[in-house]
Amino acid sequence: MPSGRGAGGARGWDESDVRIRPGKGSRPRTKRRPSHDDAAAAMVVAVDRGRWGCVLLDDGPGHSAGTRVVAMRARELGRTPVVVGDRVGVVGDLSGARDTLTRIVRVEDRSTVLRRTADDSDPYERVVVANAELLLIVVAVADPPPRAGFVARALVAAYTGGLEPVLCLTKGDLDDPSAFAAEFAALDVPVLRVGVDDELDDLHAVIDGRISAMIGHSGVGKSTLVNRLVPDADRATGVVSGVGKGRHTSTQSVALELAAGGWVVDTPGIRSFGLAHVSPDDVVAAFSDLDEIAADCPRGCTHQGPPADPECAFDAIDDPAVHRRAMAVRELLGALQSNDPWALGLDQD
């Protein structure tokens, strides 16, 4: 014990009395992350409360194509959104055994996106399904009556997201669907009758081997159609990869595999399409010929025609077929800007 004391009885201190606390580690921290070149390719088929159900797309060491695994999002991805249809890279236990967990370490670029906002005043854009090739818009021709505004908005979402729309009409035994189908003839949208009394051969010819997203209001027969396309759909949604508690919630999408190959993504949570993220130019750009014509419109033209846009180039189109398509697109733009809930086909409580 040091014996020296300073003035006033205070102890004298020197450097030998100072204790240096060692650092927590000798290795410097780094922001470098593993490249995960060995990650297996997979497709997301279900999402539930922080867990993703994925299907492996190829064979590799210790895993086989078609195996279903449950994954969590790797820390290095942060809050990167991962939705049904995403192509991802996964690492970890790829056996698919019960209570095993893999990690999503990479999300590939998306070829298409089905987007929506909660309503037209909501700036937050949500990706509903990624990489779907087709958008199946299921509409009843009666009970409930069809709403052209909802179909128009779904078409806008398809065109601007890069999906090919297909109009699927149910309950054709209650009313003639031809009049409603004719409203979209100028857009060359395929129209198929898929009611309970209709054969589904034409629909299978379109969707087999491809990825399709399916939307429709409650009561139009969408669930019935899903169960006809995928007879074990109830079982599939109940045990899809064991995601969360192994149940398909009404607010989440789920991809169901077709017997002949391909997937149908059921989107039961979609009640309406808010399109706050879409501009008139986005819609027109989906039609290459009309996009070229629109280049002659004055700046700020909304392509709505007179009186709002008296110099819109659409009104000067000479070709009858192109003019009909331009007027049909103008109808889409009208639905895009409408605030009438009934015209838009919104469910009202």
Side-chain angles (χ1 to χ4, degrees):
M1 178 181 294
S3 59
R5 290 180 180 272
R11 177 181 175 183
W13 298 91
D14 61 29
E15 63 272 13
S16 64
D17 294 303
V18 179
R19 185 175 181 179
I20 305 299
R21 178 175 294 176
K24 294 183 178 180
S26 59
R27 291 187 302 176
R29 299 183 66 183
T30 176
K31 292 184 178 180
R32 296 179 62 186
R33 294 290 185 266
S35 61
H36 294 301
D37 293 333
D38 60 341
M43 185 181 84
V44 176
V45 297
V47 183
D48 188 9
R49 292 166 291 186
R51 293 291 183 266
W52 287 262
C54 304
V55 171
L56 303 183
L57 299 178
D58 52 21
D59 297 328
H63 67 270
S64 303
T67 301
R68 298 191 176 223
V69 299
V70 179
M72 61 181 289
R73 182 169 47 194
R75 180 176 299 178
E76 56 261 35
L77 289 183
R79 299 183 65 85
T80 301
V82 184
V83 303
V84 170
D86 266 328
R87 298 291 207 288
V88 297
V90 294
V91 300
D93 190 331
L94 304 180
S95 66
R98 183 181 179 87
D99 296 328
T100 58
L101 193 63
T102 66
R103 287 184 297 135
I104 297 173
V105 295
R106 184 169 59 246
V107 180
E108 307 294 349
D109 292 339
R110 294 161 175 163
S111 59
T112 69
V113 284
L114 179 62
R115 296 187 176 98
R116 72 179 180 105
T117 58
D119 54 53
D120 285 346
S121 63
D122 181 7
Y124 183 70
E125 177 184 322
R126 299 163 179 82
V127 176
V128 182
V129 180
N131 299 316
E133 302 167 74
L134 304 168
L135 179 62
L136 309 181
I137 308 167
V138 184
V139 180
V141 297
D143 190 29
R147 300 182 182 182
F150 174 76
V151 175
R153 287 185 152 236
L155 291 175
V156 168
Y159 291 135
T160 57
L163 291 79
E164 176 187 336
V166 178
L167 188 56
C168 299
L169 301 182
T170 65
K171 304 186 181 182
D173 56 318
L174 301 180
D175 201 354
D176 183 4
S178 57
F180 182 75
E183 297 186 38
F184 308 98
L187 294 171
D188 296 326
V189 178
V191 179
L192 302 176
R193 297 183 59 162
V194 295
V196 292
D197 296 326
D198 300 314
E199 297 294 331
L200 299 182
D201 294 346
D202 290 342
L203 180 57
H204 275 291
V206 173
I207 67 175
D208 284 354
R210 308 175 74 181
I211 300 177
S212 307
M214 183 183 293
I215 63 171
H217 280 314
S218 176
V220 300
K222 181 169 65 68
S223 295
T224 300
L225 179 58
V226 168
N227 287 323
R228 291 183 67 196
L229 290 173
V230 188
D232 58 349
D234 289 335
R235 179 183 61 80
T237 57
V239 299
V240 60
S241 298
V243 178
K245 291 186 177 180
R247 63 189 181 89
H248 171 41
T249 65
S250 61
T251 58
Q252 300 291 346
S253 301
V254 62
L256 303 168
E257 191 169 10
L258 296 168
W263 298 81
V264 171
V265 182
D266 186 16
T267 58
I270 295 180
R271 300 177 63 192
S272 63
F273 264 105
L275 297 175
H277 60 288
V278 177
S279 71
D281 287 339
D282 293 331
V283 180
V284 175
F287 302 86
S288 58
D289 56 344
L290 298 184
D291 196 30
E292 292 180 8
I293 294 171
D296 295 328
C297 289
R299 184 175 181 180
C301 182
T302 63
H303 314 296
Q304 288 291 292
D309 303 301
E311 299 181 16
C312 179
F314 285 4
D315 293 307
I317 297 174
D318 294 327
D319 187 299
V322 178
H323 186 267
R324 283 195 299 272
R325 186 161 60 257
M327 295 304 101
V329 169
R330 183 171 282 177
E331 291 292 329
L332 295 183
L333 296 175
L336 179 63
Q337 298 178 4
S338 174
N339 291 316
D340 180 0
W342 176 261
L344 301 184
L346 307 183
D347 284 342
Q348 298 295 297
D349 295 328

mmCIF file with all atom_site columns, all heavy atoms in Angstrom, residues 221-246:
data_model
loop_
_atom_site.group_PDB
_atom_site.id
_atom_site.type_symbol
_atom_site.label_atom_id
_atom_site.label_alt_id
_atom_site.label_comp_id
_atom_site.label_asym_id
_atom_site.label_entity_id
_atom_site.label_seq_id
_atom_site.pdbx_PDB_ins_code
_atom_site.Cartn_x
_atom_site.Cartn_y
_atom_site.Cartn_z
_atom_site.occupancy
_atom_site.B_iso_or_equiv
_atom_site.pdbx_formal_charge
_atom_site.auth_seq_id
_atom_site.auth_comp_id
_atom_site.auth_asym_id
_atom_site.auth_atom_id
_atom_site.pdbx_PDB_model_num
ATOM 1   N N   . GLY A 1 221 ? -67.251 -16.045 -56.130 1.00 0.00 ? 221 GLY A N   1
ATOM 2   C CA  . GLY A 1 221 ? -66.936 -17.428 -56.473 1.00 0.00 ? 221 GLY A CA  1
ATOM 3   C C   . GLY A 1 221 ? -65.459 -17.692 -56.650 1.00 0.00 ? 221 GLY A C   1
ATOM 4   O O   . GLY A 1 221 ? -65.072 -18.724 -57.222 1.00 0.00 ? 221 GLY A O   1
ATOM 5   N N   . LYS A 1 222 ? -64.606 -16.808 -56.134 1.00 0.00 ? 222 LYS A N   1
ATOM 6   C CA  . LYS A 1 222 ? -63.167 -16.995 -56.291 1.00 0.00 ? 222 LYS A CA  1
ATOM 7   C C   . LYS A 1 222 ? -62.670 -18.228 -55.548 1.00 0.00 ? 222 LYS A C   1
ATOM 8   O O   . LYS A 1 222 ? -61.873 -19.004 -56.080 1.00 0.00 ? 222 LYS A O   1
ATOM 9   C CB  . LYS A 1 222 ? -62.419 -15.748 -55.826 1.00 0.00 ? 222 LYS A CB  1
ATOM 10  C CG  . LYS A 1 222 ? -60.902 -15.842 -55.981 1.00 0.00 ? 222 LYS A CG  1
ATOM 11  C CD  . LYS A 1 222 ? -60.235 -14.499 -55.773 1.00 0.00 ? 222 LYS A CD  1
ATOM 12  C CE  . LYS A 1 222 ? -60.411 -14.022 -54.352 1.00 0.00 ? 222 LYS A CE  1
ATOM 13  N NZ  . LYS A 1 222 ? -59.654 -14.881 -53.411 1.00 0.00 ? 222 LYS A NZ  1
ATOM 14  N N   . SER A 1 223 ? -63.129 -18.410 -54.318 1.00 0.00 ? 223 SER A N   1
ATOM 15  C CA  . SER A 1 223 ? -62.681 -19.570 -53.546 1.00 0.00 ? 223 SER A CA  1
ATOM 16  C C   . SER A 1 223 ? -63.112 -20.868 -54.207 1.00 0.00 ? 223 SER A C   1
ATOM 17  O O   . SER A 1 223 ? -62.367 -21.863 -54.229 1.00 0.00 ? 223 SER A O   1
ATOM 18  C CB  . SER A 1 223 ? -63.233 -19.498 -52.121 1.00 0.00 ? 223 SER A CB  1
ATOM 19  O OG  . SER A 1 223 ? -62.701 -18.382 -51.435 1.00 0.00 ? 223 SER A OG  1
ATOM 20  N N   . THR A 1 224 ? -64.323 -20.875 -54.753 1.00 0.00 ? 224 THR A N   1
ATOM 21  C CA  . THR A 1 224 ? -64.790 -22.060 -55.469 1.00 0.00 ? 224 THR A CA  1
ATOM 22  C C   . THR A 1 224 ? -63.900 -22.351 -56.659 1.00 0.00 ? 224 THR A C   1
ATOM 23  O O   . THR A 1 224 ? -63.542 -23.505 -56.931 1.00 0.00 ? 224 THR A O   1
ATOM 24  C CB  . THR A 1 224 ? -66.244 -21.852 -55.930 1.00 0.00 ? 224 THR A CB  1
ATOM 25  O OG1 . THR A 1 224 ? -67.079 -21.640 -54.795 1.00 0.00 ? 224 THR A OG1 1
ATOM 26  C CG2 . THR A 1 224 ? -66.739 -23.057 -56.712 1.00 0.00 ? 224 THR A CG2 1
ATOM 27  N N   . LEU A 1 225 ? -63.520 -21.294 -57.381 1.00 0.00 ? 225 LEU A N   1
ATOM 28  C CA  . LEU A 1 225 ? -62.648 -21.469 -58.544 1.00 0.00 ? 225 LEU A CA  1
ATOM 29  C C   . LEU A 1 225 ? -61.272 -21.984 -58.117 1.00 0.00 ? 225 LEU A C   1
ATOM 30  O O   . LEU A 1 225 ? -60.709 -22.880 -58.755 1.00 0.00 ? 225 LEU A O   1
ATOM 31  C CB  . LEU A 1 225 ? -62.517 -20.147 -59.299 1.00 0.00 ? 225 LEU A CB  1
ATOM 32  C CG  . LEU A 1 225 ? -61.607 -20.162 -60.527 1.00 0.00 ? 225 LEU A CG  1
ATOM 33  C CD1 . LEU A 1 225 ? -62.077 -21.194 -61.537 1.00 0.00 ? 225 LEU A CD1 1
ATOM 34  C CD2 . LEU A 1 225 ? -61.544 -18.767 -61.162 1.00 0.00 ? 225 LEU A CD2 1
ATOM 35  N N   . VAL A 1 226 ? -60.726 -21.446 -57.034 1.00 0.00 ? 226 VAL A N   1
ATOM 36  C CA  . VAL A 1 226 ? -59.429 -21.908 -56.538 1.00 0.00 ? 226 VAL A CA  1
ATOM 37  C C   . VAL A 1 226 ? -59.480 -23.398 -56.215 1.00 0.00 ? 226 VAL A C   1
ATOM 38  O O   . VAL A 1 226 ? -58.586 -24.168 -56.580 1.00 0.00 ? 226 VAL A O   1
ATOM 39  C CB  . VAL A 1 226 ? -58.992 -21.099 -55.293 1.00 0.00 ? 226 VAL A CB  1
ATOM 40  C CG1 . VAL A 1 226 ? -57.794 -21.764 -54.606 1.00 0.00 ? 226 VAL A CG1 1
ATOM 41  C CG2 . VAL A 1 226 ? -58.639 -19.670 -55.679 1.00 0.00 ? 226 VAL A CG2 1
ATOM 42  N N   . ASN A 1 227 ? -60.545 -23.823 -55.548 1.00 0.00 ? 227 ASN A N   1
ATOM 43  C CA  . ASN A 1 227 ? -60.665 -25.226 -55.160 1.00 0.00 ? 227 ASN A CA  1
ATOM 44  C C   . ASN A 1 227 ? -60.871 -26.143 -56.369 1.00 0.00 ? 227 ASN A C   1
ATOM 45  O O   . ASN A 1 227 ? -60.509 -27.328 -56.320 1.00 0.00 ? 227 ASN A O   1
ATOM 46  C CB  . ASN A 1 227 ? -61.801 -25.401 -54.163 1.00 0.00 ? 227 ASN A CB  1
ATOM 47  C CG  . ASN A 1 227 ? -61.448 -24.864 -52.792 1.00 0.00 ? 227 ASN A CG  1
ATOM 48  O OD1 . ASN A 1 227 ? -60.322 -24.984 -52.346 1.00 0.00 ? 227 ASN A OD1 1
ATOM 49  N ND2 . ASN A 1 227 ? -62.414 -24.246 -52.123 1.00 0.00 ? 227 ASN A ND2 1
ATOM 50  N N   . ARG A 1 228 ? -61.442 -25.612 -57.433 1.00 0.00 ? 228 ARG A N   1
ATOM 51  C CA  . ARG A 1 228 ? -61.573 -26.411 -58.642 1.00 0.00 ? 228 ARG A CA  1
ATOM 52  C C   . ARG A 1 228 ? -60.223 -26.532 -59.358 1.00 0.00 ? 228 ARG A C   1
ATOM 53  O O   . ARG A 1 228 ? -59.907 -27.589 -59.912 1.00 0.00 ? 228 ARG A O   1
ATOM 54  C CB  . ARG A 1 228 ? -62.601 -25.789 -59.594 1.00 0.00 ? 228 ARG A CB  1
ATOM 55  C CG  . ARG A 1 228 ? -64.036 -25.859 -59.087 1.00 0.00 ? 228 ARG A CG  1
ATOM 56  C CD  . ARG A 1 228 ? -64.990 -25.281 -60.129 1.00 0.00 ? 228 ARG A CD  1
ATOM 57  N NE  . ARG A 1 228 ? -65.041 -26.105 -61.340 1.00 0.00 ? 228 ARG A NE  1
ATOM 58  C CZ  . ARG A 1 228 ? -65.544 -25.686 -62.500 1.00 0.00 ? 228 ARG A CZ  1
ATOM 59  N NH1 . ARG A 1 228 ? -66.032 -24.457 -62.607 1.00 0.00 ? 228 ARG A NH1 1
ATOM 60  N NH2 . ARG A 1 228 ? -65.556 -26.492 -63.544 1.00 0.00 ? 228 ARG A NH2 1
ATOM 61  N N   . LEU A 1 229 ? -59.441 -25.467 -59.341 1.00 0.00 ? 229 LEU A N   1
ATOM 62  C CA  . LEU A 1 229 ? -58.130 -25.507 -59.992 1.00 0.00 ? 229 LEU A CA  1
ATOM 63  C C   . LEU A 1 229 ? -57.136 -26.344 -59.194 1.00 0.00 ? 229 LEU A C   1
ATOM 64  O O   . LEU A 1 229 ? -56.296 -27.045 -59.764 1.00 0.00 ? 229 LEU A O   1
ATOM 65  C CB  . LEU A 1 229 ? -57.587 -24.082 -60.149 1.00 0.00 ? 229 LEU A CB  1
ATOM 66  C CG  . LEU A 1 229 ? -58.298 -23.186 -61.153 1.00 0.00 ? 229 LEU A CG  1
ATOM 67  C CD1 . LEU A 1 229 ? -57.759 -21.756 -61.057 1.00 0.00 ? 229 LEU A CD1 1
ATOM 68  C CD2 . LEU A 1 229 ? -58.124 -23.716 -62.577 1.00 0.00 ? 229 LEU A CD2 1
ATOM 69  N N   . VAL A 1 230 ? -57.226 -26.251 -57.868 1.00 0.00 ? 230 VAL A N   1
ATOM 70  C CA  . VAL A 1 230 ? -56.322 -26.978 -56.978 1.00 0.00 ? 230 VAL A CA  1
ATOM 71  C C   . VAL A 1 230 ? -57.194 -27.742 -55.991 1.00 0.00 ? 230 VAL A C   1
ATOM 72  O O   . VAL A 1 230 ? -57.537 -27.235 -54.923 1.00 0.00 ? 230 VAL A O   1
ATOM 73  C CB  . VAL A 1 230 ? -55.371 -26.022 -56.238 1.00 0.00 ? 230 VAL A CB  1
ATOM 74  C CG1 . VAL A 1 230 ? -54.306 -26.799 -55.468 1.00 0.00 ? 230 VAL A CG1 1
ATOM 75  C CG2 . VAL A 1 230 ? -54.712 -25.041 -57.200 1.00 0.00 ? 230 VAL A CG2 1
ATOM 76  N N   . PRO A 1 231 ? -57.610 -28.982 -56.323 1.00 0.00 ? 231 PRO A N   1
ATOM 77  C CA  . PRO A 1 231 ? -58.570 -29.716 -55.486 1.00 0.00 ? 231 PRO A CA  1
ATOM 78  C C   . PRO A 1 231 ? -58.143 -29.866 -54.031 1.00 0.00 ? 231 PRO A C   1
ATOM 79  O O   . PRO A 1 231 ? -58.998 -29.957 -53.153 1.00 0.00 ? 231 PRO A O   1
ATOM 80  C CB  . PRO A 1 231 ? -58.661 -31.080 -56.192 1.00 0.00 ? 231 PRO A CB  1
ATOM 81  C CG  . PRO A 1 231 ? -58.341 -30.781 -57.625 1.00 0.00 ? 231 PRO A CG  1
ATOM 82  C CD  . PRO A 1 231 ? -57.294 -29.702 -57.570 1.00 0.00 ? 231 PRO A CD  1
ATOM 83  N N   . ASP A 1 232 ? -56.833 -29.898 -53.765 1.00 0.00 ? 232 ASP A N   1
ATOM 84  C CA  . ASP A 1 232 ? -56.392 -30.018 -52.378 1.00 0.00 ? 232 ASP A CA  1
ATOM 85  C C   . ASP A 1 232 ? -55.997 -28.663 -51.806 1.00 0.00 ? 232 ASP A C   1
ATOM 86  O O   . ASP A 1 232 ? -55.177 -28.576 -50.905 1.00 0.00 ? 232 ASP A O   1
ATOM 87  C CB  . ASP A 1 232 ? -55.229 -30.998 -52.256 1.00 0.00 ? 232 ASP A CB  1
ATOM 88  C CG  . ASP A 1 232 ? -54.036 -30.589 -53.103 1.00 0.00 ? 232 ASP A CG  1
ATOM 89  O OD1 . ASP A 1 232 ? -54.183 -29.666 -53.940 1.00 0.00 ? 232 ASP A OD1 1
ATOM 90  O OD2 . ASP A 1 232 ? -52.940 -31.166 -52.923 1.00 0.00 ? 232 ASP A OD2 1
ATOM 91  N N   . ALA A 1 233 ? -56.618 -27.586 -52.312 1.00 0.00 ? 233 ALA A N   1
ATOM 92  C CA  . ALA A 1 233 ? -56.254 -26.239 -51.875 1.00 0.00 ? 233 ALA A CA  1
ATOM 93  C C   . ALA A 1 233 ? -56.489 -26.045 -50.388 1.00 0.00 ? 233 ALA A C   1
ATOM 94  O O   . ALA A 1 233 ? -55.688 -25.414 -49.697 1.00 0.00 ? 233 ALA A O   1
ATOM 95  C CB  . ALA A 1 233 ? -57.036 -25.192 -52.671 1.00 0.00 ? 233 ALA A CB  1
ATOM 96  N N   . ASP A 1 234 ? -57.592 -26.589 -49.857 1.00 0.00 ? 234 ASP A N   1
ATOM 97  C CA  . ASP A 1 234 ? -57.870 -26.435 -48.423 1.00 0.00 ? 234 ASP A CA  1
ATOM 98  C C   . ASP A 1 234 ? -56.750 -27.064 -47.600 1.00 0.00 ? 234 ASP A C   1
ATOM 99  O O   . ASP A 1 234 ? -56.285 -26.495 -46.616 1.00 0.00 ? 234 ASP A O   1
ATOM 100 C CB  . ASP A 1 234 ? -59.206 -27.079 -48.061 1.00 0.00 ? 234 ASP A CB  1
ATOM 101 C CG  . ASP A 1 234 ? -60.381 -26.284 -48.612 1.00 0.00 ? 234 ASP A CG  1
ATOM 102 O OD1 . ASP A 1 234 ? -60.218 -25.076 -48.824 1.00 0.00 ? 234 ASP A OD1 1
ATOM 103 O OD2 . ASP A 1 234 ? -61.443 -26.886 -48.832 1.00 0.00 ? 234 ASP A OD2 1
ATOM 104 N N   . ARG A 1 235 ? -56.313 -28.258 -48.031 1.00 0.00 ? 235 ARG A N   1
ATOM 105 C CA  . ARG A 1 235 ? -55.224 -28.904 -47.309 1.00 0.00 ? 235 ARG A CA  1
ATOM 106 C C   . ARG A 1 235 ? -53.926 -28.122 -47.485 1.00 0.00 ? 235 ARG A C   1
ATOM 107 O O   . ARG A 1 235 ? -53.172 -27.908 -46.542 1.00 0.00 ? 235 ARG A O   1
ATOM 108 C CB  . ARG A 1 235 ? -55.024 -30.324 -47.830 1.00 0.00 ? 235 ARG A CB  1
ATOM 109 C CG  . ARG A 1 235 ? -53.870 -31.055 -47.133 1.00 0.00 ? 235 ARG A CG  1
ATOM 110 C CD  . ARG A 1 235 ? -53.649 -32.430 -47.735 1.00 0.00 ? 235 ARG A CD  1
ATOM 111 N NE  . ARG A 1 235 ? -53.303 -32.352 -49.139 1.00 0.00 ? 235 ARG A NE  1
ATOM 112 C CZ  . ARG A 1 235 ? -52.057 -32.061 -49.565 1.00 0.00 ? 235 ARG A CZ  1
ATOM 113 N NH1 . ARG A 1 235 ? -51.104 -31.807 -48.702 1.00 0.00 ? 235 ARG A NH1 1
ATOM 114 N NH2 . ARG A 1 235 ? -51.805 -32.015 -50.848 1.00 0.00 ? 235 ARG A NH2 1
ATOM 115 N N   . ALA A 1 236 ? -53.692 -27.621 -48.723 1.00 0.00 ? 236 ALA A N   1
ATOM 116 C CA  . ALA A 1 236 ? -52.447 -26.917 -48.994 1.00 0.00 ? 236 ALA A CA  1
ATOM 117 C C   . ALA A 1 236 ? -52.347 -25.632 -48.179 1.00 0.00 ? 236 ALA A C   1
ATOM 118 O O   . ALA A 1 236 ? -51.300 -25.310 -47.647 1.00 0.00 ? 236 ALA A O   1
ATOM 119 C CB  . ALA A 1 236 ? -52.337 -26.603 -50.489 1.00 0.00 ? 236 ALA A CB  1
ATOM 120 N N   . THR A 1 237 ? -53.453 -24.891 -48.072 1.00 0.00 ? 237 THR A N   1
ATOM 121 C CA  . THR A 1 237 ? -53.392 -23.647 -47.319 1.00 0.00 ? 237 THR A CA  1
ATOM 122 C C   . THR A 1 237 ? -53.284 -23.921 -45.838 1.00 0.00 ? 237 THR A C   1
ATOM 123 O O   . THR A 1 237 ? -52.762 -23.107 -45.090 1.00 0.00 ? 237 THR A O   1
ATOM 124 C CB  . THR A 1 237 ? -54.641 -22.784 -47.586 1.00 0.00 ? 237 THR A CB  1
ATOM 125 O OG1 . THR A 1 237 ? -55.812 -23.535 -47.262 1.00 0.00 ? 237 THR A OG1 1
ATOM 126 C CG2 . THR A 1 237 ? -54.705 -22.350 -49.026 1.00 0.00 ? 237 THR A CG2 1
ATOM 127 N N   . GLY A 1 238 ? -53.734 -25.074 -45.389 1.00 0.00 ? 238 GLY A N   1
ATOM 128 C CA  . GLY A 1 238 ? -53.682 -25.368 -43.962 1.00 0.00 ? 238 GLY A CA  1
ATOM 129 C C   . GLY A 1 238 ? -52.322 -25.810 -43.488 1.00 0.00 ? 238 GLY A C   1
ATOM 130 O O   . GLY A 1 238 ? -51.985 -25.658 -42.320 1.00 0.00 ? 238 GLY A O   1
ATOM 131 N N   . VAL A 1 239 ? -51.511 -26.369 -44.382 1.00 0.00 ? 239 VAL A N   1
ATOM 132 C CA  . VAL A 1 239 ? -50.219 -26.897 -43.937 1.00 0.00 ? 239 VAL A CA  1
ATOM 133 C C   . VAL A 1 239 ? -49.063 -26.316 -44.729 1.00 0.00 ? 239 VAL A C   1
ATOM 134 O O   . VAL A 1 239 ? -47.991 -26.893 -44.777 1.00 0.00 ? 239 VAL A O   1
ATOM 135 C CB  . VAL A 1 239 ? -50.194 -28.435 -44.067 1.00 0.00 ? 239 VAL A CB  1
ATOM 136 C CG1 . VAL A 1 239 ? -51.259 -29.066 -43.203 1.00 0.00 ? 239 VAL A CG1 1
ATOM 137 C CG2 . VAL A 1 239 ? -50.371 -28.865 -45.526 1.00 0.00 ? 239 VAL A CG2 1
ATOM 138 N N   . VAL A 1 240 ? -49.267 -25.175 -45.365 1.00 0.00 ? 240 VAL A N   1
ATOM 139 C CA  . VAL A 1 240 ? -48.245 -24.642 -46.260 1.00 0.00 ? 240 VAL A CA  1
ATOM 140 C C   . VAL A 1 240 ? -46.947 -24.376 -45.508 1.00 0.00 ? 240 VAL A C   1
ATOM 141 O O   . VAL A 1 240 ? -46.802 -23.396 -44.803 1.00 0.00 ? 240 VAL A O   1
ATOM 142 C CB  . VAL A 1 240 ? -48.736 -23.386 -47.005 1.00 0.00 ? 240 VAL A CB  1
ATOM 143 C CG1 . VAL A 1 240 ? -49.102 -22.266 -46.036 1.00 0.00 ? 240 VAL A CG1 1
ATOM 144 C CG2 . VAL A 1 240 ? -47.677 -22.887 -47.987 1.00 0.00 ? 240 VAL A CG2 1
ATOM 145 N N   . SER A 1 241 ? -46.062 -25.321 -45.627 1.00 0.00 ? 241 SER A N   1
ATOM 146 C CA  . SER A 1 241 ? -44.704 -25.228 -45.100 1.00 0.00 ? 241 SER A CA  1
ATOM 147 C C   . SER A 1 241 ? -44.635 -25.012 -43.606 1.00 0.00 ? 241 SER A C   1
ATOM 148 O O   . SER A 1 241 ? -43.580 -24.705 -43.077 1.00 0.00 ? 241 SER A O   1
ATOM 149 C CB  . SER A 1 241 ? -43.959 -24.087 -45.810 1.00 0.00 ? 241 SER A CB  1
ATOM 150 O OG  . SER A 1 241 ? -43.864 -24.343 -47.182 1.00 0.00 ? 241 SER A OG  1
ATOM 151 N N   . GLY A 1 242 ? -45.724 -25.127 -42.894 1.00 0.00 ? 242 GLY A N   1
ATOM 152 C CA  . GLY A 1 242 ? -45.684 -24.896 -41.465 1.00 0.00 ? 242 GLY A CA  1
ATOM 153 C C   . GLY A 1 242 ? -45.400 -23.455 -41.103 1.00 0.00 ? 242 GLY A C   1
ATOM 154 O O   . GLY A 1 242 ? -44.900 -23.158 -40.018 1.00 0.00 ? 242 GLY A O   1
ATOM 155 N N   . VAL A 1 243 ? -45.678 -22.515 -41.990 1.00 0.00 ? 243 VAL A N   1
ATOM 156 C CA  . VAL A 1 243 ? -45.382 -21.114 -41.719 1.00 0.00 ? 243 VAL A CA  1
ATOM 157 C C   . VAL A 1 243 ? -46.219 -20.645 -40.542 1.00 0.00 ? 243 VAL A C   1
ATOM 158 O O   . VAL A 1 243 ? -47.427 -20.867 -40.481 1.00 0.00 ? 243 VAL A O   1
ATOM 159 C CB  . VAL A 1 243 ? -45.684 -20.252 -42.957 1.00 0.00 ? 243 VAL A CB  1
ATOM 160 C CG1 . VAL A 1 243 ? -45.416 -18.786 -42.657 1.00 0.00 ? 243 VAL A CG1 1
ATOM 161 C CG2 . VAL A 1 243 ? -44.840 -20.711 -44.121 1.00 0.00 ? 243 VAL A CG2 1
ATOM 162 N N   . GLY A 1 244 ? -45.594 -19.940 -39.603 1.00 0.00 ? 244 GLY A N   1
ATOM 163 C CA  . GLY A 1 244 ? -46.317 -19.477 -38.429 1.00 0.00 ? 244 GLY A CA  1
ATOM 164 C C   . GLY A 1 244 ? -46.954 -20.649 -37.718 1.00 0.00 ? 244 GLY A C   1
ATOM 165 O O   . GLY A 1 244 ? -46.293 -21.592 -37.344 1.00 0.00 ? 244 GLY A O   1
ATOM 166 N N   . LYS A 1 245 ? -48.261 -20.606 -37.572 1.00 0.00 ? 245 LYS A N   1
ATOM 167 C CA  . LYS A 1 245 ? -48.991 -21.711 -36.956 1.00 0.00 ? 245 LYS A CA  1
ATOM 168 C C   . LYS A 1 245 ? -49.566 -22.652 -38.006 1.00 0.00 ? 245 LYS A C   1
ATOM 169 O O   . LYS A 1 245 ? -50.452 -23.432 -37.728 1.00 0.00 ? 245 LYS A O   1
ATOM 170 C CB  . LYS A 1 245 ? -50.113 -21.162 -36.066 1.00 0.00 ? 245 LYS A CB  1
ATOM 171 C CG  . LYS A 1 245 ? -49.595 -20.446 -34.819 1.00 0.00 ? 245 LYS A CG  1
ATOM 172 C CD  . LYS A 1 245 ? -50.743 -20.057 -33.910 1.00 0.00 ? 245 LYS A CD  1
ATOM 173 C CE  . LYS A 1 245 ? -50.245 -19.401 -32.634 1.00 0.00 ? 245 LYS A CE  1
ATOM 174 N NZ  . LYS A 1 245 ? -51.351 -19.006 -31.735 1.00 0.00 ? 245 LYS A NZ  1
ATOM 175 N N   . GLY A 1 246 ? -49.078 -22.505 -39.246 1.00 0.00 ? 246 GLY A N   1
ATOM 176 C CA  . GLY A 1 246 ? -49.496 -23.418 -40.297 1.00 0.00 ? 246 GLY A CA  1
ATOM 177 C C   . GLY A 1 246 ? -50.891 -23.139 -40.805 1.00 0.00 ? 246 GLY A C   1
ATOM 178 O O   . GLY A 1 246 ? -51.598 -24.034 -41.213 1.00 0.00 ? 246 GLY A O   1
#
